[in-house]
């Protein structure tokens, strides 16, 4: 009989105690992969030492966060994660970097080699998915996600950009016993269990057209919209004063772009003193954007999770890469308790991110996820 996927979360302030409690929650005899998400407020050297001591023969990946999601719900300054049993799962993982000199062809070959390694480890027709954890301040998520998805072929990629508790100074990914900056970690997993990848995004395009008339792609800054200073034009279109623009305002009215008939969020990180806007994702001159209008975060998430449950049964695990802006928005609209309950009831484990990846596209203010069901559901 296959062992279940195990999930856990510790809110202990001491890093050694937190890792110890996490280990006790997720430990099982034969683990194919352990994945954790931890606050950057911890002493990361102590976290790494604890992980290496308690999981000496296990493949472990992870990253720092802007908040954690687990059995204890939405938390800050915690460690959350899961273990996959070898009886029903097989996994390979590796780190790629430095990202500042990222080359598309090299990244594509890296992902293709990982997929080939998994073929050798678990040949057959099991379901497969790829989980990407990437430095959230590298500003290289777009080419990384595109190249890795190209190398993976039909294996769907889902991921999240590491955070540092909203300090925006340094973010980290964990692989091979240590935390690394300017890096991406990719895990490719094969499972006998029913599985689905999904993306939850609750905004629709408004009618206003915002043409980016001046931008710096290297810094993700928009200097002008519709030929006017970006901050002033954005404030005018959302019906507020530029002086009132803050994180809550940006979360309530993000920018959207339409690609291939689908709408993707291009969230605003901050307004700058020079009148420009800095985004969480790439931007170029000539791009046409729209103002996003919310349709209900909790309702949209409930619909998504309900669809997943009808397709694969009650999930054992939902790996959730949930934008930090969704966390802020849910708090501002009074929906946070409802959203937290939905995630907890569907065994979601993950983190608040600085960006999300879905099938080769980097997005914002979105939840990208991987839902894994039970063996019983697979046999129905």
């Amino acid at each position: 009989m296959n062992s279940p996927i195990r999930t856990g979360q510790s809110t202990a302030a001491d890093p050694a105690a937190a890792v110890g409690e996490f280990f006790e929650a997720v430990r099982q005899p034969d683990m194919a992969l352990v994945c954790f998400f931890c606050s950057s407020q911890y002493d990361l050297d102590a976290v790494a030492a604890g992980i290496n001591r308690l999981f000496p023969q296990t493949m472990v990946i992870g990253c720092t966060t802007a908040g954690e999601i687990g059995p204890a719900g939405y938390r800050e300054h915690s460690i959350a994660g899961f273990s996959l049993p070898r009886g029903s799962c097989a996994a390979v993982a590796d780190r790629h970097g430095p990202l500042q000199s990222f080359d598309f062809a090299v990244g594509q070959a890296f992902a293709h080699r990982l997929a080939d390694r998994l073929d050798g480890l678990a040949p057959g027709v099991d379901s497969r998915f790829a989980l990407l954890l990437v430095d959230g301040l590298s500003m290289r998520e777009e080419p990384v996600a595109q190249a890795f998805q190209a190398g993976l072929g039909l294996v769907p990629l889902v991921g999240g950009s590491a955070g540092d508790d909203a300090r925006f100074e340094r973010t980290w990914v964990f692989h091979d016993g240590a935390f690394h900056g300017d890096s991406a970690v990719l895990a490719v997993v094969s499972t006998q269990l029913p599985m689905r990848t999904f993306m939850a995004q609750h905004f629709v395009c408004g009618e206003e057209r915002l043409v980016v008339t001046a931008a710096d792609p290297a810094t993700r800054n928009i200097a002008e919209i519709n030929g006017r200073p970006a901050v002033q034009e954005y404030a005018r279109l959302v019906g507020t004063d530029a002086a009132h623009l803050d994180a809550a305002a940006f979360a309530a009215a993000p920018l959207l772009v339409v690609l291939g008939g689908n709408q993707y969020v291009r969230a605003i990180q901050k307004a700058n003193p020079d009148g420009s806007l800095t985004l969480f994702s790439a931007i170029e001159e000539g791009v046409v954007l729209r103002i996003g209008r919310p349709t209900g975060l909790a309702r949209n998430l409930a619909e998504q999770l309900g669809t997943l449950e009808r397709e694969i049964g009650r999930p054992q695990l939902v790996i959730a890469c949930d934008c930090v802006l969704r966390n802020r928005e849910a708090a501002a609209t009074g929906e946070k308790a409802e959203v937290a309950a939905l995630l907890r009831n569907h065994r979601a484990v993950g983190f608040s991110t600085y960006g999300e990846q879905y099938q080769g596209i980097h997005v914002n203010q979105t939840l990208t996820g991987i839902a894994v069901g039970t063996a019983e559901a697979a046999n129905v």
Side-chain angles (χ1 to χ4, degrees), residues 135-349:
D135 183 337
L137 297 177
S138 66
M139 295 195 294
R140 304 299 292 159
E141 294 105 313
E142 287 87 359
V144 169
Q146 291 167 8
F148 285 4
Q149 185 62 80
L152 291 166
L154 297 178
V155 177
L157 178 146
V158 170
S161 303
D164 65 348
D165 297 282
R167 292 195 301 269
F168 298 103
E169 295 172 355
R170 192 85 185 266
T171 66
W172 305 89
V173 296
F174 184 91
H175 176 260
D176 198 23
F179 285 95
H180 307 270
D182 197 28
S183 297
V185 173
L186 182 66
V188 190
V189 178
S190 172
T191 179
Q192 301 167 15
L193 301 169
M195 180 276 300
R196 296 288 189 277
T197 60
F198 69 100
M199 181 178 74
Q201 188 274 101
H202 64 290
F203 288 91
V204 296
C205 288
E207 296 181 359
E208 306 89 347
R209 284 170 53 90
L210 294 79
V211 181
V212 178
T213 48
D216 180 3
T219 60
R220 294 177 170 173
N221 276 10
I222 302 177
E224 290 183 0
I225 295 172
N226 298 336
R228 302 181 181 93
V231 167
Q232 293 181 17
E233 181 68 353
Y234 172 82
R236 182 185 72 83
L237 290 169
V238 299
T240 190
D241 188 275
H244 297 153
L245 294 178
D246 57 14
F250 294 139
L255 302 172
L256 267 67
V257 64
V258 179
L259 300 172
N262 296 314
Q263 300 174 6
Y264 299 98
V265 179
R266 295 287 182 262
I268 301 170
Q269 179 182 344
K270 61 181 178 178
N272 301 307
D274 64 359
S276 66
L277 293 168
T278 299
L279 303 192
F280 278 105
S281 55
I283 195 65
E284 296 178 351
E285 291 182 11
V287 172
V288 178
L289 301 168
R290 306 274 184 168
I291 300 293
R293 305 299 183 191
T295 61
L297 194 160
R299 183 177 72 243
N300 174 267
L301 180 60
E303 291 172 353
Q304 289 275 356
L305 294 173
T307 297
L308 290 169
E309 190 166 343
R310 288 190 295 273
E311 291 178 348
I312 66 169
R314 194 75 171 169
Q316 288 193 72
L317 171 70
V318 174
I319 305 171
C321 301
D322 188 38
C323 184
V324 63
L325 296 178
R326 287 171 59 91
N327 190 324
R328 293 175 180 172
E329 182 190 353
T333 60
E335 296 177 282
K336 190 165 182 177
E338 183 179 358
V339 172
L342 283 167
L343 294 172
R344 188 168 54 248
N345 291 342
H346 287 81
R347 300 202 70 189
V349 173

